[in-house]
Amino acid sequence: MGAGIAQVSVQSGHDTVGREVTDELGERGRATIDRYLTRGVEKGRLSQEERDAALARLTLTTELSDLADCDLVIEAVLEELDLKREVFAELDRVTRPDAVLATNTSALSVSEIAAATQHPERVVGMHFFNPAPVLPLVEIARTPDSSEAAVDAAYAWAERAGKQPVRCNDTPGFIVNRILIPLLNDCVRVLDEADVHPEDMDKAMTNGAGWPMGPCALIDLIGIDVHVHASEALHGKLGEPRMAPPERLVRMQDEGRLGRKSGSGFYTY
Ligand SMILES: NC(=O)c1ccc[n+]([C@@H]2O[C@H](COP(=O)([O-])OP(=O)(O)OC[C@H]3O[C@@H](n4cnc5c(N)ncnc54)[C@H](O)[C@@H]3O)[C@@H](O)[C@H]2O)c1
């Protein structure tokens, strides 16, 4: 996700510092960006010069202190509250006082992350959707402490990057996941309750409800483990039974059938 967000940044003309925990992981992220941009040139979506210029805007580091001059920092480390709080406390110390600090968290509380800083007014959520260079939506989540200036800066940055930002509050699941997670879980439960095949479910929802992709294909794309984790997080916060991961998904996760990335999920890839 971090590499995808860095790609959005360099493609929209910003000098960008990508921070990873090791040089090797940083290079892997750069290679991912290179691969997508090169494919873009082959498909005629951008010119060779635009690709070269975008890649030249990316520098890599393993030190958070190298983010000292950034106007905006978008954090996308593992989805663990303690880790994010540690990273934000350090960012708060090393960045300029007017820099906006954003978290790409899907399911954690932005307020709890911001509370690790001395300046929670400059902390906002910037929730991208995977893959970040392709999907237009960015949810800009404000906490009760976020300043209007920080929210506006994050919104304007996303808009200038060609995204479709929306403003929302720091509530569980923000807008999309609050609705989509229980809805996808309903679809999976119907498979078993009504003995429906995944192919028929997907055909029904694409042709009858106008979904661009069926729910089973979508969960395979998201990753069974990612969806189960997000369901558990939302259920833990709001407690609606529909939010808890369906038994079938937990079984698939235990069997290592994680969707596209593992070669099998509802479908075989
Ligand atoms: N994958 C998605 O679909 C998606 C969508 C929206 C938001 N997000 C959010 O993005 C964030 C990252 O998710 P991801 O799916 O890219 O996970 P990932 O596991 O692919 O990436 C996590 C990153 O954290 C780094 N990391 C690991 N240990 C670290 C440490 N101790 N200190 C600093 N960095 C460390 C890793 O090197 C890696 O770059 C999470 O907050 C997640 O909720 C993910």
Side-chain angles (χ1 to χ4, degrees):
M1 200 73 190
I5 296 169
Q7 181 181 332
V8 170
S9 181
V10 293
Q11 279 198 278
S12 59
H14 299 289
D15 289 331
T16 303
V17 186
R19 186 263 180 170
E20 255 294 3
V21 282
T22 65
D23 290 329
E24 193 200 350
L25 284 171
E27 285 305 335
R28 202 185 294 172
R30 193 207 303 269
T32 302
I33 297 174
D34 188 348
R35 197 168 56 248
Y36 284 120
L37 291 178
T38 302
R39 198 183 300 164
V41 174
E42 285 160 9
K43 293 199 167 166
R45 284 197 293 264
L46 75 165
S47 69
Q48 181 71 34
E49 293 69 32
E50 284 167 332
R51 170 206 168 271
D52 296 347
L55 278 176
R57 290 185 199 109
L58 179 67
T59 52
L60 297 177
T61 184
T62 56
E63 301 299 324
L64 276 183
S65 55
D66 286 334
L67 306 180
D69 291 331
C70 293
D71 306 303
L72 168 68
V73 179
I74 305 174
E75 166 277 316
V77 306
L78 296 178
E79 187 77 331
E80 290 169 14
L81 181 61
D82 288 346
L83 174 62
K84 288 195 192 278
R85 285 172 55 89
E86 230 172 79
V87 169
F88 270 74
E90 181 67 8
L91 285 174
D92 196 34
R93 280 191 290 274
V94 301
T95 54
R96 289 200 326 253
D98 61 332
V100 173
L101 307 181
T103 173
N104 181 45
T105 184
S106 299
L108 298 173
S109 153
V110 180
S111 289
E112 286 178 33
I113 297 169
T117 71
Q118 301 294 317
H119 303 283
E121 68 279 0
R122 61 178 175 137
V123 178
V124 297
M126 279 183 89
H127 184 223
F128 290 75
F129 287 72
N130 207 12
V134 178
L135 288 184
L137 181 64
V138 185
E139 292 174 324
I140 310 291
R142 57 172 107 73
T143 75
D145 290 325
S146 304
S147 70
E148 230 170 276
V151 172
D152 289 349
Y155 188 99
W157 189 95
E159 211 170 35
R160 274 199 312 274
K163 295 294 174 192
Q164 295 288 340
V166 295
R167 289 181 172 83
C168 61
N169 290 305
D170 177 30
T171 50
F174 305 129
I175 299 173
V176 171
N177 284 345
R178 167 66 184 80
I179 297 165
L180 192 58
I181 287 172
L183 187 51
L184 289 175
N185 287 341
D186 283 344
C187 295
V188 174
R189 290 195 175 94
V190 167
L191 294 176
D192 292 323
E193 284 167 20
D195 195 16
V196 172
H197 288 286
E199 290 84 354
D200 289 323
M201 166 68 70
D202 283 3
K203 195 169 172 185
M205 293 306 284
T206 50
N207 290 286
W211 286 26
M213 181 184 271
C216 298
L218 180 56
I219 296 172
D220 271 357
L221 182 65
I222 292 168
I224 310 297
D225 52 335
V226 172
H227 180 77
V228 166
H229 186 262
S231 296
E232 283 166 348
L234 197 62
H235 183 246
K237 291 206 161 129
L238 298 179
E240 271 186 35
R242 297 172 59 230
M243 293 167 176
E247 196 47 41
R248 182 181 182 125
L249 290 184
V250 176
R251 244 187 354 258
M252 288 168 74
Q253 174 176 256
D254 292 345
E255 290 164 2
R257 289 167 53 212
L258 304 182
R260 271 178 193 262
K261 64 185 166 193
S262 72
S264 93
F266 288 104
Y267 300 102
T268 304
Y269 299 92

